[in-house]
């Protein structure tokens, strides 16, 4: 790439010199150059992703399972990042120090949005170049310069960190929600919520405290730059897990579905928890504490922020999901699958945007929107739209995920704000491992007190082992790199992500062997889908039996509400509202029930209520794709066969 | 939206005042505010698109055909744009005039990339506000300020115009290429190329000359601001057509397929021609001409630019398409449809980026990449990937197209650089109509001299009538709005687009009636797909018979090359290269032929060589979707039936 940049630069100079000396032309050429550098950056990533796709095909073809595509993306990223870094000269940014014009008045406490720079005729200019006198240029606000010595903001293959939160993460998170194996998710809800909510907070606290201790033992220059809030923020950002690699191997080897559901469900939710938690810590820092010390009112305020933002974001996402379900139920938009798919995508994206506009967390909204879309809207969609939305988000998720891992690799070398501190990095590795242990073992012990089939010890080890770090940690770390402390955090996070994804991911098969976790069980999707679908009654009450005593009651209440009110209201599922609502609500109920709901038989119910069909664990393996999803034309025969089997049992 | 902005602003002030007076917090709040305004802008467009989708569903449901979704998107955009414009106060941008620090030296002919603004302690500040003394802020280059009086750059619901070229247009153009009805396209290739290449250039020239004449008759202030190159640029940007609405009605009413192919093919190609043409005119302006006058060397240089850039872009796109075909042929990546689809998308996007990096036209590259992908790669893809890529680009195209038309509506009111000049607008309407007439009637006359079934007069009127203007014209017009002349062009273009899309689009059904163009013909896709597939031999020689004498020879040469070299090389089509290449090339040919190609029967050939299946004219109508595409499980039976029919004939 760098050669190209250098070449481009010379080309640009050549063009500038040859074709007239007017500033306009030079400006045009400069704009063109910038555009070409942008395109080149994108092209590098596109080529890297293409390379990853091709290599992973070779690996799959040769049945190599010790390297997942994300690991490969990171490795390719590292190689290309190193080449970019060491292959050539750098692209210096020209700058000038300026002062306000004499006599300017300004009365706001924030710096102005724009500077107007009038290029004077009197600047000393080397002879031969034409002056750019008497033109006015606009400059827009970029940020505060903390380190005035740092001369260079690199243009090399880096993007604005906000891109991750606004473009890359939403499809990944939505896909996770849309693809959640909801049956097993709800069956293990107690464990998942405990690990994701309590566990992540606990892990963040433990890591934060331990890191603060470690930092105090280090050289004074480093110790002074970290406050307890900084290390706590580090704890929050390093706590979410991203066990993509492990899950891919699980579904390849057909590992126990409950273990799968626990690991996947926890990783989906702890992303959301960690994001809101880090936001609350940052708010605490900026709002309540002026010296970084502890204040009880500020602490309570931060907890309030956390709960409020999390639950409001959840509400926004869930409401948008339900609204989409209502629209798709009561209109016949499903007759035009393209319109229906477009509506689905637009409404889901609107959930993200609404949450962002209301200063909530868009990612959390989009996660719960995805869950609602899968639970309700999916059942109303035409088969074409089901297929299309699933495949669309699968593809977006694949591209976004591999992009972010490639970027982690490349930015390790090219991002200008890395700060390598060996002690901090070692401490980060050790504490993040300890934090994961504190999350899993004590909470498993507590859960096993109330859980009927307890979590076996080897499952606990596997849960501990699945604590890979990934996209969310990196996105949180790169968001803010103003201080040296934050830069050290970014470097440590990048290294932890790379190490866990490549090494831990590669060792997952051996870990399964070593821990004697049974693989190749009959409990894979295909052979299991039918009996489970038969066992499920209209109310998913059966799902509660795995949790503790209170959990089961909660699940039962939710299940009753879901099957008696929400499902009949939002989908075409039976029994209709006219049967489930009390008599005085009958007129309203009649209004909200479609004729389709009255007239359909039990077979159709089974067909539309197809929770267990939705999830594709490892989309790359064709055998795991439910043929019913791909060839809806075949559904009718299969359904009727099932219906018979079900009634026989 | 504006109330929200005002509310947000007050909230922001409140937060600023309440929560400590530190500049850091104010800066954070300011960044949050900007992010929220961005989100709000996106949310407005998302809601508008959702509304458009829902309304268009109602229209389709009630069989209203006088308003297409793009027309509706424009109208909704206009309404919301007017509300945003007149509903509230504006968001002023704060600015300060600055001078370089004393003693600065600077020796480049372009302005610096960045300014460092050291906020001095000595600025007169109104009492009550805290000063921001002794902090340094970075400001990045935005552009030249031409009109120093223009105080306000609006944040209201506008985007960087480059977004259209880099994000919105590529999927639209790729989809057009991927979806081209290639059989009819090649059959009418002569007419399409004549209208698109010669016609567009002619139309641009005529409009440019007429507009220059009109401008000279206008008040002197306007006349002086337009050079002939300016009006020629206007001619180039207003020449491409975008007859979405008309085509949707055509496929609804099953109008003659050749007329459809001519209008669609021309509109696809003239977008590419106009884009390169306007680029060449702009280059001429900046490179060769210093006074806007005519120079013969410059003129030849511009023509050279045009031909060079067009053919090189075409080459880049076609090569990337062929490369994808080769990869998909010689690897078994089709066993993993997700990887295959990702590869397909990445390679197609890479074509765009490579062209942009090489200072060619990415949009042209992506168009021809799409045509090659459809002609070769599509045949190698797994059925899952065919489905997925087609549906993905269909959805992207739908969203991008409606977004751009919504934006045209909204920006009519909110874009700050409109310049309403009634005379220029009236002249623009008249000349653009004349330009279209000059494109169609004389060229049809010339074509009819050599064409065996001549183009009937009512078809010519329909071709003239289908000269709606759309996305490409708008994107070209909004790209550059520095001068008053360019701003007047933008306004005129916007108004022409809106008027043609809404009025001409709405009148299309009546025009068909009035011109007595037969509708509801047997030549719709479904009843015609089978006979045509039987008629087609391995070599598409039959496609040449519609063109003139030389055209037919050209088509025959191309057809022979395609069927003997390219198709066997790039796809699994028969006859294999071992049969078509001369004997001395046998070893190479054997290397490039897959076992699949040797072993497959004639049935499989018919199946993979499914050009005529690809295009969905109006994707919203479920009946027009070929069931073979959606339920590949049913293909085998259908194919064998066809095979029998074919051999019977």
């Amino acid at each position: 790439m760098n050669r190209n940049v250098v070449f481009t630069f010379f080309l640009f100079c050549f063009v500038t010199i040859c074709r007239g000396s007017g500033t306009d032309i030079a400006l045009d050429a400069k704009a063109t150059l910038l555009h070409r550098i942008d395109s080149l950056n994108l092209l590098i990533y596109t080529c890297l992703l293409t390379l990853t796709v091709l290599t992973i095909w070779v690996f799959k073809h040769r049945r190599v399972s010790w390297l997942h595509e994300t690991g490969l993306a990171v490795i390719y990223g590292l190689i290309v990042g190193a080449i970019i870094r060491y292959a050539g000269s750098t692209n210096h940014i020209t700058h000038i120090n300026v002062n306000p014009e004499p006599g300017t008045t300004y009365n706001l406490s924030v710096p102005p949005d724009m500077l107007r720079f009038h290029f004077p005729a009197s600047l000393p200019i080397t002879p031969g170049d034409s002056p750019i006198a008497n033109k006015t240029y606009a400059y827009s606000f970029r940020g505060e310069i903390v380190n005035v010595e740092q001369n260079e903001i690199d243009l090399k293959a880096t993007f604005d960190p906000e891109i991750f939160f606004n473009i890359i993460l939403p499809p990944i998170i939505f896909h996770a929600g849309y693809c959640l194996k909801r049956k097993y998710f709800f069956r293990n809800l107690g464990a998942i919520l405990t690990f994701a909510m309590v566990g992540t907070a606990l892990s963040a606290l433990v890591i934060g405290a331990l890191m603060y201790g470690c930092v105090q033992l280090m050289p004074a220059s480093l110790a002074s730059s970290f406050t307890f809030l900084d290390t706590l923020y580090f704890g929050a950002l390093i706590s979410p897990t991203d066990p993509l690699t492990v899950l891919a191997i699980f579904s390849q080897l057909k590992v126990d579905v409950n273990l799968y559901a626990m690991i996947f469900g926890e990783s989906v939710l702890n992303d959301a928890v960690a994001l809101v938690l880090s936001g609350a810590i940052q708010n605490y820092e900026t709002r309540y504490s002026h010296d970084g010390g502890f204040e009880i009112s500020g602490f309570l305020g931060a907890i309030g922020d956390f709960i409020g933002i999390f639950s409001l974001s959840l509400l926004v996402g869930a409401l948008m999901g339900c609204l989409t379900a209502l629209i798709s139920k009561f209109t016949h938009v499903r007759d035009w699958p393209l319109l229906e798919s477009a509506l689905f995508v637009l409404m889901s994206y609107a959930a993200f945007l609404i949450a962002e506009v209301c200063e909530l967390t868009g990612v959390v909204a989009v996660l719960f929107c995805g869950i609602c879309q899968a639970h309700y809207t999916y059942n109303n969609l035409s088969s074409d739209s089901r297929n299309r939305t699933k495949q669309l988000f699968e593809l977006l998720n694949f591209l976004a995920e591999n992009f972010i891992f490639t970027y982690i690799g490349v930015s390790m070398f090219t991002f200008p704000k890395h700060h390598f501190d060996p002690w901090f990095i070692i401490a980060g590795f050790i504490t993040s491992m300890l934090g994961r242990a504190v999350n899993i073992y004590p909470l498993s012990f507590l859960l096993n007190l109330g859980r009927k089939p307890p979590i076996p010890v080897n499952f606990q080890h596997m849960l501990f082992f699945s604590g890979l770090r990934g996209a969310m940690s990196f996105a949180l770390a790169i968001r803010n790199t103003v201080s040296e402390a934050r830069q050290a955090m970014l470097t440590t996070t990048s290294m932890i992500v790379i190490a866990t994804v490549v090494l831990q991911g590669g060792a997952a098969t051996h870990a399964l062997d070593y821990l004697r976790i049974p693989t190749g069980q009959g409990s894979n999707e295909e052979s299991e889908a039918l009996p489970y679908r038969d066992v499920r009654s209209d109310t998913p009450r059966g799902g509660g039996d795995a949790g503790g005593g209170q959990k089961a009651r909660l699940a039962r209440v939710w299940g009753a509400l879901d099957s008696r009110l929400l499902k009949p209201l939002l989908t075409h599922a039976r029994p209709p509202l006219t049967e489930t609502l009390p008599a005085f609500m009958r007129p309203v109920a009649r209004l909200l029930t479609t004729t389709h709901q009255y007239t359909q038989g039990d077979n159709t119910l089974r067909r539309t209520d197809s929770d267990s069909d939705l999830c594709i664990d490892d989309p790359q393996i064709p055998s795991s794709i439910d043929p019913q999803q791909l060839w809806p034309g075949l559904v009718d025969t299969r359904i009727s066969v099932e219906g018979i089997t079900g009634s026989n049992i």
Side-chain angles (χ1 to χ4, degrees), chain A residues 32-43 155 158-159:
Chain A
T32 311
L33 177 69
L34 287 179
H35 174 68
R36 286 178 63 187
I37 291 176
D38 282 348
S39 299
L40 197 60
N41 284 343
L42 278 174
L43 185 61
L155 282 179
T158 52
F159 296 102

Side-chain angles (χ1 to χ4, degrees), chain A residues 118-134:
Chain A
H118 188 77
F119 217 106
S122 58
L123 260 194
I125 284 169
T126 50
D129 269 314
S130 56
I132 8 172
N134 289 321

Side-chain angles (χ1 to χ4, degrees), chain A residues 321-359:
Chain A
C322 293
L323 188 63
T324 319
L326 281 176
I327 291 176
S328 60
K329 180 185 175 185
F330 289 107
T331 67
H332 287 270
V333 72
R334 73 171 154 284
D335 296 341
W336 286 274
L338 181 63
L339 292 183
E340 196 186 19
S341 311
L343 191 71
F344 186 93
V345 173
L346 288 170
M347 300 282 283
S348 306
Y349 189 50
F352 175 81
L353 291 174
I354 290 173
E356 288 290 315
V357 170
C358 302
E359 280 195 90

